[in-house]
Amino acid sequence: MNDVLNRLATVLESRKGADPESSYVAKLYAKGLDAILKKVGEEATETVMAAKDGMPNKLIHEVADLWFHTLVLLAHQGLEPRQVLDELDRRFGLSGLEEKANRVG
């Protein structure tokens, strides 16, 4: 699984300098943070709707879109999927209630 995330992260990083007319991701980067956030919000909503529809294949498709656009957001902010995976690993074995209680801010 990490291999797919690493490959995507590499491609997303390479699109930062690409011509917006040559790449969907480059076009998103060129539009800026608000456009990326709008896409993440749209994909999150579509994911919720797919889950409520009870169609597993549609849900998988929408979650893939959501994850992809979230990866675009991370790259735009100079962050890497590895950092999210490290955070998930740090939380592993903690109860959700304990983890939430330990959050700062």
Side-chain angles (χ1 to χ4, degrees), residues 24-61:
Y24 169 75
V25 172
K27 189 176 288 190
L28 270 179
Y29 287 147
K31 288 180 179 180
L33 181 61
D34 286 346
I36 295 168
L37 293 173
K38 182 178 178 185
K39 280 305 293 181
V40 170
E42 288 172 6
E43 298 303 341
T45 299
E46 291 172 6
T47 298
V48 169
M49 292 168 49
K52 289 191 69 73
D53 289 344
M55 299 172 65
N57 287 338
K58 187 175 179 183
L59 178 58
I60 289 167
H61 177 86

Side-chain angles (χ1 to χ4, degrees), residues 3-30:
D3 186 49
V4 172
L5 291 177
N6 288 332
R7 288 183 309 178
L8 270 171
T10 299
V11 170
L12 294 176
E13 191 63 32
S14 74
R15 296 295 194 264
K16 285 184 175 180
D19 177 3
E21 297 303 313
S22 70
S23 159
Y24 169 75
V25 172
K27 189 176 288 190
L28 270 179
Y29 287 147

Side-chain angles (χ1 to χ4, degrees), residues 1 3 23 26 28-29 32 40-41 47-48 51 55 60 63 65 67-68 70-71 76 83 100:
M1 178 171 55
D3 186 49
S23 159
L28 270 179
Y29 287 147
V40 170
T47 298
V48 169
M55 299 172 65
I60 289 167
V63 169
D65 285 349
W67 286 11
F68 177 81
T70 302
L71 290 170
H76 185 266
Q83 292 170 278
K100 191 169 183 174

